[in-house]
Amino acid sequence: MTTLSRTGRGPAVVRRGPARHFAAAALCLVLLALAVLASVMFGSKPTSAADVLRVVTGDGEGYVRTVVESRYPRTALGLLAGLCLGVAGTLMQGITRNPLAEPGLLGINAGASAAIVAATAFLGASGQQETVWWALAGALATGVVVHLVGTAGGSGPVRLVLAGAVLSAVLAAFIQAVALSRPQVFDTYRYWVVGSLGGRGFDAFWAVLPFAAVGLVLAVLLAPGLNAMAMGDDKAASLGISPARVKGAGLLAATLLSAAATAAVGPIAFVGLAVPHLVRVLVGADFRLQILFTSLAGPTLLLFADVIGRVLLRPQELMVGVVTAFVGAPALLFAVRRMRGAA
């Protein structure tokens, strides 16, 4: 419902009531359920919904059961990674007050990539489990360095973004130098860097789940502080909120979430950028609602993108990181147009 200010002269204010929020939540839940169902149904050889239901209830033929159950890990990783990227993007845009902010600004992707390249080249690391742990360590270490450099001698979103850009550039040069000089490292790196839910098991899911859980809890706790900071640091301080603490804790939460997603499935673009914009169109500027809805919309977008990549070139598979760029770009443009129209 749209109403004018009491004086009748102010700009129009859009008020979103509980009924609209419940309707939006129901829509997001239905879409997420459909995305999960599609993720376990479609692949190089599709299965019907009836076959999936029989497998879930304990029936079903042996071959069908094997096919459906082989899709469980990538579905679980899609749910977790989509949630992490969506919430991390919301935190980054709220902290930096930059609508184009996304998890890559912290140098998370570059840090995880550099760690994998270094471990493969100099320590002989191989295998999915080792790759996950090295990527997680590199992503977290990079996030900490960016935070320390970006807040040294003062804090501000511009300093943080510049610190992330500089460190990402340095790490990118290191990655290119090592990967191009060692073909075996390049083979491992080129597959991981695109971003994919396939070829990974539940071990990757359980390895990053604790970090994702801590980051999500922090994000939920920080939502009221982010709402206060949206009115300005001075206003937030007058309400008893410490902007420095909120920003520090928010960066920590975004780092944990981004690192967990990147370590598990590789760097995936556009989810952390586009999903917060889409959610704001639905629920407005309240960060409590934004975090809730990005937790639903992020996995939905990522799972549908993965399904598209599986069926588009069947029996071959298109990496989900490629699909999200094609799906996320139009979604982001639509959300930006809607926001301009509302303004």
Side-chain angles (χ1 to χ4, degrees):
M1 180 176 66
T2 303
T3 59
L4 292 175
S5 63
R6 292 184 179 180
T7 61
R9 295 189 299 270
V13 178
V14 178
R15 300 183 184 276
R16 295 175 172 85
R20 174 166 177 164
H21 294 157
F22 283 128
L27 175 63
C28 289
L29 286 172
V30 170
L31 291 176
L32 180 59
L34 291 175
V36 171
L37 179 62
S39 182
V40 296
M41 279 181 57
F42 296 103
S44 58
K45 294 184 178 180
T47 53
S48 65
D51 290 334
V52 173
L53 181 60
R54 281 192 290 268
V55 171
V56 172
T57 57
D59 297 327
E61 301 176 358
Y63 173 74
V64 176
R65 175 182 293 276
T66 301
V67 171
V68 171
E69 290 180 348
S70 67
R71 296 169 184 162
Y72 288 169
R74 72 186 301 160
T75 302
L77 284 170
L79 289 170
L80 183 64
L83 181 152
C84 290
L85 292 173
V87 175
T90 299
L91 291 174
M92 286 297 301
Q93 292 176 17
I95 293 170
T96 63
R97 298 171 187 170
N98 180 0
L100 297 180
E102 52 95 22
L105 284 181
L106 290 176
I108 299 298
N109 296 345
S113 302
I116 288 178
V117 168
T120 305
F122 306 119
L123 301 177
S126 62
Q128 181 187 113
Q129 187 66 18
E130 284 188 84
T131 300
V132 168
W133 284 109
W134 280 109
L136 187 61
L140 290 173
T142 304
V144 171
V145 172
V146 170
H147 175 68
L148 293 176
V149 174
T151 57
S155 61
V158 176
R159 294 173 61 90
L160 186 69
V161 171
L162 288 176
V166 170
L167 190 57
S168 294
V170 172
L171 293 176
F174 167 78
I175 292 168
Q176 291 180 359
V178 175
L180 294 178
S181 63
R182 304 194 178 210
Q184 73 278 11
V185 176
F186 179 73
D187 289 339
T188 302
Y189 171 70
R190 69 173 181 172
Y191 176 80
W192 178 86
V193 76
V194 178
S196 174
L197 302 181
R200 293 166 171 83
F202 275 115
D203 51 352
F205 176 86
W206 295 117
V208 302
L209 181 60
F211 301 93
V214 173
L216 182 60
V217 170
L218 278 175
V220 172
L221 295 176
L222 289 171
L226 291 172
N227 282 338
M229 286 179 55
M231 299 181 290
D233 289 356
D234 293 337
K235 182 66 174 179
S238 68
L239 296 174
I241 303 296
S242 173
R245 292 180 181 178
V246 172
K247 290 178 183 178
L251 289 174
L252 174 61
T255 300
L256 290 171
L257 292 167
S258 303
T262 305
V265 300
I268 295 179
F270 264 108
V271 176
L273 177 62
V275 168
H277 285 278
L278 294 172
V279 167
R280 275 193 290 273
V281 171
L282 286 175
V283 301
D286 189 339
F287 280 96
R288 295 170 299 181
L289 293 174
Q290 285 186 41
I291 290 173
L292 171 63
F293 278 82
T294 51
S295 300
L296 301 174
T300 301
L301 175 62
L302 191 57
L303 286 177
F304 273 131
D306 185 49
V307 171
I308 292 172
R310 278 186 266 173
V311 302
L312 197 61
L313 300 178
R314 186 184 290 164
Q316 303 298 319
E317 181 174 322
L318 191 63
M319 298 289 194
V320 68
V322 176
V323 180
T324 54
F326 287 99
V327 175
L332 178 60
L333 291 176
F334 169 77
V336 170
R337 288 180 63 88
R338 285 291 302 272
M339 287 188 296
R340 289 180 60 186

